[in-house]
Amino acid sequence: MAPIDPQADAIVGDWLTIPEVADRLVLPKSRVKQLLRDRKLLAVQRPDGVPSVPAAFLDGAAVIKGLHGTLTLLFDCGFSEEEALRWLFTSDDSLPGTPIQAIAEHRCTEVNRRAQALAF
């Protein structure tokens, strides 16, 4: 799990610990850890040393639809966990908003086009 710098930590906003994610998803912690290993979720080590997941990755009791595909694209483009997190939470005037907001609003196709363009 990659450590995150304070600047990147600040752009994310709200964070959830692994036990909090497990509670929200109504899953055992071991299953959440498997989601992290499978890169269906992304966690980083915050400055306080606690592994955490951005709260924006969850919609109620589910992982937001489309997140896994976008994470796969970013990792295939060679992004590190911290770089992927920064990209997802950095404002993009052409979307508008951030890529993670667009994914949450079911505009994954456009976000994924931008992610694919990064590879070329």
Side-chain angles (χ1 to χ4, degrees):
M1 193 166 308
I4 190 168
D5 67 78
Q7 184 182 16
D9 182 67
I11 66 169
V12 171
D14 295 329
W15 293 90
L16 299 169
T17 63
I18 303 302
E20 290 170 332
V21 172
D23 288 345
R24 294 250 323 249
L25 296 178
V26 192
L27 295 172
K29 285 186 278 186
S30 60
R31 180 67 180 119
V32 172
K33 290 177 182 178
Q34 184 63 48
L35 291 172
L36 293 168
R37 281 190 298 275
D38 293 344
R39 292 189 154 178
K40 293 181 179 181
L41 268 179
L42 173 63
V44 293
Q45 186 175 358
R46 297 199 52 221
D48 61 6
V50 177
S52 300
V53 173
F57 287 177
L58 302 183
D59 181 16
V63 176
I64 60 172
K65 186 178 178 181
L67 178 65
H68 174 63
T70 303
L71 288 174
T72 299
L73 283 170
L74 292 172
F75 293 134
D76 287 351
C77 290
F79 277 53
S80 68
E81 291 170 339
E82 183 177 343
E83 290 168 333
L85 203 61
R86 277 182 182 274
W87 187 83
L88 286 166
F89 285 89
T90 298
S91 184
D92 182 340
D93 292 336
S94 67
L95 279 173
T98 63
I100 196 64
Q101 289 170 328
I103 293 169
E105 294 168 357
H106 309 289
R107 295 185 288 138
C108 303
T109 304
E110 191 56 38
V111 172
N112 289 343
R113 281 187 194 129
R114 283 172 171 70
Q116 286 174 325
L118 297 172
F120 302 104

